[in-house]
């Protein structure tokens, strides 16, 4: 952490932090999180993650952050992904095969239409 020696230093650090925060929440920014706990991996989450990354690369999509997390406690619904577009509410999808993942990218991420038949109600 930088040393704060003056009020100007404090203001500069504050502005930098606000800029980073704004970049993370910029409207249109998409975050896709794939549940990769042991239950998810056993259900095919690796193939789902691979399909997501391949589709992003094939279509040259930008502004999409793909991350992974551990088990989120819905093992019977695995593979699970969560999609957040800008400041819209997070949508959790279950039983996401590679084909369903491609459909979610096409319909939800690109067209803004939630894929209702795979939404997991929380």
């Amino acid at each position: 952490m930088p040393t704060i020696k003056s009020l100007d230093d404090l203001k500069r650090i504050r502005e930098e932090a606000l800029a980073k925060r704004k970049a993370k929440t910029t409207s249109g920014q998409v975050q896709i999180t794939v549940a990769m706990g042991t239950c998810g991996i056993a259900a095919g989450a690796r193939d789902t993650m691979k399909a997501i990354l391949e589709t992003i690369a094939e279509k040259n999509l930008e502004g999409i952050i793909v991350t992974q997390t551990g088990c989120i406690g819905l093992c019977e619904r695995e593979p699970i992904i969560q999609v957040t577009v800008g400041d819209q509410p997070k949508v959790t999808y279950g039983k996401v095969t590679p084909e369903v993942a491609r459909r979610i990218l096409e319909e939800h991420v690109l067209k803004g239409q939630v894929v209702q038949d795979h939404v997991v109600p929380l």
Side-chain angles (χ1 to χ4, degrees), residues 75-88:
C75 301
E76 69 280 359
R77 302 285 181 117
E78 293 287 355
I80 294 174
I81 70 169
Q82 295 179 319
V83 177
T84 307
V85 178
D87 56 359
Q88 297 176 8

Side-chain angles (χ1 to χ4, degrees), residues 5-53:
K5 296 181 181 177
S6 68
L7 186 56
D8 288 334
D9 289 345
L10 181 61
K11 287 179 182 177
R12 181 184 46 77
I13 291 169
R14 179 179 183 273
E15 292 302 318
E16 288 171 1
L18 289 173
K20 285 181 185 176
R21 183 172 156 193
K22 183 178 179 184
K24 287 183 180 178
T25 59
T26 300
S27 183
Q29 183 74 20
V30 177
Q31 179 166 354
I32 300 173
T33 304
V34 182
M36 296 284 279
T38 54
C39 52
I41 291 169
R46 282 191 177 122
D47 291 334
T48 299
M49 171 78 91
K50 185 178 175 186
I52 291 168
L53 295 173

Side-chain angles (χ1 to χ4, degrees), residues 30-36 44-62 64-68 79-83 93 95-106 109-110:
V30 177
Q31 179 166 354
I32 300 173
T33 304
V34 182
M36 296 284 279
R46 282 191 177 122
D47 291 334
T48 299
M49 171 78 91
K50 185 178 175 186
I52 291 168
L53 295 173
E54 286 174 351
T55 303
I56 290 169
E58 289 167 4
K59 296 186 178 238
N60 294 319
L61 302 178
E62 295 181 4
I64 301 174
I65 299 169
V66 180
T67 60
Q68 64 183 36
I80 294 174
I81 70 169
Q82 295 179 319
V83 177
Y93 291 104
K95 302 284 186 189
V96 183
T97 63
E99 296 76 27
V100 173
R102 289 183 194 93
R103 184 173 160 215
I104 290 168
L105 280 168
E106 183 68 32
V109 173
L110 296 178

